[in-house]
């Protein structure tokens, strides 16, 4: 079955997904994920839906927080360590993490001996601001353009001081 407006299938069967894509975060040498961009494959434009697998000893991306796009993670199999704010939690099948904006910083690690598999879903807005607090960096994405700067270098915009 295909949505005629996008020419992408509305149903993707597990057997038809094809090979996993792999990627890692450029600021985390221990980052490695494999998975499928399910939302993109069906033509979803406003939300990302991804089936992610983190191999043993690897991490998802990097400790980060969002300012514009909400995100959630749902653990399907395996175990992991979720860093949420200043705390760590062991997570497993059926555990759900939701990050409304502005979100608390978060990250997933897999120090265990089996793959950690989860569903990652989030908004896809035209503009997003994300922080990497442990690196002291802020990212701004506008369309396909991505800018990165030192958070401490940010300046207040003149004339927009808080009104008391």
């Amino acid at each position: 079955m295909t949505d005629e407006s996008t020419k992408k299938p509305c149903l993707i069967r597990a057997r038809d997904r094809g090979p996993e894509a792999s990627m890692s975060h450029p600021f985390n040498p221990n980052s490695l994920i494999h998975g499928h961009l399910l939302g993109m494959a069906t033509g979803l434009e406003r939300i990302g839906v991804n089936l992610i697998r983190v191999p043993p000893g690897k991490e998802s991306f990097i400790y980060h927080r969002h300012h514009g796009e909400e995100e959630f993670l749902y653990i399907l199999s395996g175990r992991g360590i979720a860093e949420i704010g200043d705390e760590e939690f062991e997570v497993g099948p059926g555990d759900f993490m939701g990050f409304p904006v502005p979100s608390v910083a978060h990250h997933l690690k897999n120090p265990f001996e089996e793959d950690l598999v989860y569903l990652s879903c989030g908004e896809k807005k035209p503009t997003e601001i994300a922080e990497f607090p442990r690196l002291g960096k802020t990212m701004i994405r506008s369309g396909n353009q991505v800018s990165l700067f030192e958070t401490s270098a940010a300046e207040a915009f003149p004339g927009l001081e808080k009104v008391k």
Side-chain angles (χ1 to χ4, degrees), residues 34-90:
H34 307 286
H36 299 278
L37 305 176
L38 301 174
M40 186 180 291
T42 60
L44 294 178
E45 294 180 5
R46 295 183 296 184
I47 58 170
V49 180
N50 308 300
L51 180 60
I52 304 293
R53 180 175 61 82
V54 181
K58 294 298 182 181
E59 302 178 11
S60 60
F61 289 112
I62 194 166
Y63 187 74
H64 68 285
R65 77 173 124 242
H66 302 274
H67 286 271
E69 296 176 339
E70 292 189 332
E71 175 183 31
F72 77 78
L73 308 175
Y74 182 78
I75 308 298
L76 298 170
S77 64
R79 294 180 299 147
I81 301 295
E83 294 181 275
I84 302 174
D86 294 330
E87 297 183 75
E88 290 190 351
F89 304 90
E90 185 173 324

Side-chain angles (χ1 to χ4, degrees), residues 6-23:
T6 64
K7 302 295 183 196
K8 297 213 178 202
C10 294
L11 171 63
I12 299 175
R13 297 203 181 269
R15 67 177 181 259
D16 299 330
R17 282 197 297 248
E20 292 179 318
S22 298
M23 74 172 294

Side-chain angles (χ1 to χ4, degrees), residues 21-33:
S22 298
M23 74 172 294
S24 59
H25 196 283
F27 298 139
N28 182 354
N30 205 35
S31 167
L32 178 63
I33 66 166

Side-chain angles (χ1 to χ4, degrees), residues 21-164:
S22 298
M23 74 172 294
S24 59
H25 196 283
F27 298 139
N28 182 354
N30 205 35
S31 167
L32 178 63
I33 66 166
H34 307 286
H36 299 278
L37 305 176
L38 301 174
M40 186 180 291
T42 60
L44 294 178
E45 294 180 5
R46 295 183 296 184
I47 58 170
V49 180
N50 308 300
L51 180 60
I52 304 293
R53 180 175 61 82
V54 181
K58 294 298 182 181
E59 302 178 11
S60 60
F61 289 112
I62 194 166
Y63 187 74
H64 68 285
R65 77 173 124 242
H66 302 274
H67 286 271
E69 296 176 339
E70 292 189 332
E71 175 183 31
F72 77 78
L73 308 175
Y74 182 78
I75 308 298
L76 298 170
S77 64
R79 294 180 299 147
I81 301 295
E83 294 181 275
I84 302 174
D86 294 330
E87 297 183 75
E88 290 190 351
F89 304 90
E90 185 173 324
V91 294
D95 289 343
F96 177 86
M97 292 161 272
F99 302 103
V101 292
S103 74
V104 63
H106 54 279
H107 180 227
L108 267 180
K109 303 183 284 189
N110 181 5
F112 301 105
E113 295 181 11
E114 64 182 295
D115 287 345
L116 171 62
V117 180
Y118 62 97
L119 198 59
S120 168
C121 303
E123 296 177 284
K124 292 171 52 176
K125 293 187 173 184
T127 302
E128 168 64 324
I129 299 170
E131 286 181 66
F132 307 111
R134 292 182 181 152
L135 298 178
K137 296 188 181 293
T138 298
M139 180 204 76
I140 298 175
R141 179 185 42 76
S142 182
N144 291 327
Q145 185 173 355
V146 179
S147 301
L148 187 70
F149 63 92
E150 297 290 328
T151 305
S152 62
E155 298 178 27
F157 193 82
L160 295 180
E161 294 80 18
K162 290 185 178 182
V163 177
K164 293 186 180 196

